[in-house]
Amino acid sequence: MNFRDSVPVVKMGQITSNMYRLGWNERNGGNISLLLDEGDVAGFADTGHVIRTIPTGFDARRLAGKYFLVTGTGKYFRNVADNPEDTLGLVRISADGSCAELLWGYSDGGKFTSEFPAHMMSHMARLAADPENRVVMHCHPTYTLAMNYVHELSDKAFTHTLWQMCTECIVVFPEGVGVLPWMLCGTNEIGEATAEKMRDFRTVIWGMHGIYCAGKTLDETFGLAETVEKAAQIYMLTLPAPRINTIRDDELVRLAEAFGVDYRRDFLS
């Protein structure tokens, strides 16, 4: 069977289509990488045939031998479902970590997203924190991005506001969100900064740019971004009006304890 018919490729097409429909990934904005087991690939793709190698741009030896399904640079999310061979690539990190071996995809001669180093560095950080985290997702949710311009950009302040916006938030992301200032995208510098935040957070806000999320599955990771965005939307919609009600800190504590989640106590006022 062709790899394009495999569950990971089909699911990637569904998720990217939904993200594009929501306006989170305009034009060729955003990118996703999914860590696959050899069993996910066996029977679909010829892992013995390397189409070509693509430099990783950094030392990725800690991921040597691992397989990733990655969106391509310059590709539109709206096209992934209909043309996965062009918009996606299946790569395996080489033994020395200097190259990604292309096994399927990027049929027009392209390569992985320009944010590949940030993705791989984030995978390293999340796998160290939780070996079940297999997805890194980058998008530009409208209200989260708008919130960047009117709210203090710090881990604690941003997290606390999001938690107060929607009852489910402290349950869905009890560790909070990490926040970075504006940085030049597509560089190892922003990749390293993101990975450092990913040691403690599954969600990292890129100031005036978008968010990075990590999770166990595509659905879970999308749901994490979705929840952050819903909270930011509520914040922005209520921002012009005086706030006469809110979820108090003692109520946030009751929520976290009722659902048995390990939350950032130091992020409460």
Side-chain angles (χ1 to χ4, degrees):
M1 186 182 294
N2 193 296
F3 187 62
R4 72 164 290 156
D5 300 316
S6 66
V7 171
V9 172
V10 172
K11 189 64 179 180
M12 186 77 88
Q14 294 169 348
I15 289 288
T16 50
S17 294
N18 202 23
M19 294 172 75
Y20 183 81
R21 178 184 61 80
L22 289 168
W24 294 2
N25 294 87
E26 71 290 338
R27 199 173 181 270
N28 63 317
N31 25 77
I32 302 178
S33 58
L34 170 62
L35 172 61
L36 301 175
D37 290 322
E38 191 163 2
D40 297 321
V41 179
F44 291 100
D46 182 2
T47 58
H49 175 60
V50 176
I51 299 170
R52 54 192 165 90
T53 59
I54 308 169
T56 58
F58 76 108
D59 184 356
R61 273 177 291 183
R62 287 167 55 193
L63 297 173
K66 293 190 181 297
Y67 297 87
F68 293 91
L69 184 63
V70 191
T71 53
T73 185
K75 302 303 180 182
Y76 290 33
F77 271 25
R78 67 169 181 257
N79 296 330
V80 173
D82 291 335
N83 194 2
E85 290 97 339
D86 175 72
T87 53
L88 301 175
L90 173 65
V91 300
R92 179 177 57 208
I93 305 301
S94 64
D96 66 0
S98 66
C99 293
E101 300 166 342
L102 179 64
L103 306 175
W104 174 91
Y106 304 146
S107 58
D108 68 342
K111 64 174 187 176
F112 43 65
T113 169
S114 62
E115 303 293 357
F116 189 75
H119 275 257
M120 295 301 106
M121 291 176 191
S122 292
H123 276 290
M124 291 180 195
R126 287 313 306 165
L127 287 170
D130 183 347
E132 294 187 7
N133 277 193
R134 310 178 70 80
V135 178
V136 173
M137 181 180 291
H138 173 50
C139 53
H140 309 152
T142 306
Y143 287 95
T144 304
L145 183 55
M147 188 174 166
N148 284 199
Y149 290 90
V150 297
H151 195 284
E152 177 186 341
L153 291 179
S154 72
D155 301 346
K156 179 177 179 178
F158 213 91
T159 293
H160 189 259
T161 295
L162 292 176
W163 280 352
Q164 288 185 314
M165 293 302 104
C166 190
T167 296
E168 67 178 343
C169 286
I170 197 170
V171 178
V172 175
F173 50 98
E175 76 278 16
V177 300
V179 182
L180 292 174
W182 184 90
M183 299 179 69
L184 183 62
C185 56
T187 65
N188 286 359
E189 181 183 13
I190 197 169
E192 291 162 0
T194 304
E196 184 63 32
K197 290 286 187 183
M198 282 280 181
R199 296 176 187 273
D200 300 313
F201 306 103
R202 289 172 300 142
T203 305
V204 179
I205 308 292
W206 278 13
M208 283 67 72
H209 184 145
I211 65 174
Y212 257 67
C213 287
K216 299 176 183 178
T217 66
L218 286 166
D219 277 332
E220 181 192 73
T221 311
F222 174 81
L224 179 57
E226 192 175 31
T227 306
V228 170
E229 172 67 353
K230 181 63 172 286
Q233 181 179 11
I234 294 168
Y235 175 77
M236 293 304 298
L237 289 174
T238 58
L239 186 61
R243 187 178 302 172
I244 59 174
N245 298 303
T246 194
I247 303 175
R248 303 189 310 268
D249 279 13
D250 64 297
E251 293 170 330
L252 289 171
V253 171
R254 287 174 59 196
L255 265 169
E257 293 179 350
F259 283 87
V261 295
D262 185 16
Y263 64 100
R264 285 289 297 261
R265 291 159 178 79
D266 58 321
F267 279 8
L268 299 177
S269 298

